[in-house]
């Protein structure tokens, strides 16, 4: 039984990200944008092995649905590179599971989208 629980604990982040990307609705989850929540959480707050590569792929899939050529993918890669400066930004030890850092990431990307007159709803 412990092996099954251990397996589900390892698979859960990947599974929930795929489910959130796949369950897209025009109002509540346009183009699977809610998949960015586990992408951010399991890449920066509680890092998991191989999840950054998977997150890169999910961001590419969101770009594909949004008709934005590599916008979310480049944004994720840029933020992942900025996260390398752990001396200044330590997402793993911030309060409230780094919700402020996530809001800065999403806010900055939406700010760029609003002023570039691009659409993030497919």
């Amino acid at each position: 039984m412990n092996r099954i629980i251990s397996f589900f604990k390892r698979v859960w982040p990947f599974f929930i990200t795929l489910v959130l990307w796949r369950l897209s609705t025009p109002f509540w989850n346009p183009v699977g944008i809610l998949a960015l929540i586990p992408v951010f959480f399991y890449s920066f707050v509680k890092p998991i092995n191989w999840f950054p590569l998977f997150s890169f792929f999910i961001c590419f899939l969101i770009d594909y649905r949004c008709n934005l050529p590599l916008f979310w993918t480049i944004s994720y890669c840029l933020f992942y590179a900025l996260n390398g400066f752990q001396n200044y930004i330590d997402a793993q030890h911030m309060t409230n599971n780094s919700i402020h850092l996530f809001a800065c990431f999403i806010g900055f990307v939406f700010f760029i989208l609003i002023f570039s007159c691009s659409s993030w709803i497919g």
Side-chain angles (χ1 to χ4, degrees), residues 4-108:
I4 295 171
I5 292 173
S6 171
F7 173 75
F8 282 125
K9 282 183 181 180
R10 278 187 265 129
V11 173
W12 174 253
F14 299 95
F15 177 73
I16 193 65
T17 306
L18 281 175
V19 167
L20 284 174
W21 174 76
R22 185 72 180 122
L23 293 176
S24 60
T25 59
F27 184 73
W28 295 107
N29 188 13
V31 299
I33 204 82
L34 287 179
L36 289 175
I37 295 170
V39 162
F40 182 86
F41 187 77
Y42 291 114
S43 291
F44 302 116
V45 180
K46 296 195 189 254
I48 294 176
N49 292 338
W50 296 101
F51 202 80
L53 184 61
F54 181 73
S55 299
F56 180 81
F57 178 67
I58 290 293
C59 289
F60 180 76
L61 291 176
I62 291 172
D63 284 333
Y64 178 74
R65 277 196 176 169
C66 288
N67 293 328
L68 293 170
L70 299 178
F71 180 75
W72 287 105
T73 308
I74 291 172
S75 301
Y76 172 77
C77 290
L78 178 67
F79 205 76
Y80 193 79
L82 287 175
N83 188 46
F85 297 114
Q86 287 277 325
N87 295 339
Y88 302 109
I89 302 169
D90 192 7
Q92 295 177 3
H93 297 101
M94 291 178 82
T95 59
N96 296 328
N97 289 329
S98 303
I99 191 71
H100 303 300
L101 197 60
F102 179 69
C104 290
F105 169 66
I106 294 295
F108 179 72

Side-chain angles (χ1 to χ4, degrees), residues 33 71-72 105-115 120:
I33 204 82
F71 180 75
W72 287 105
F105 169 66
I106 294 295
F108 179 72
V109 172
F110 283 158
F111 183 77
I112 292 171
L113 280 176
I114 288 171
F115 288 108
W120 63 284

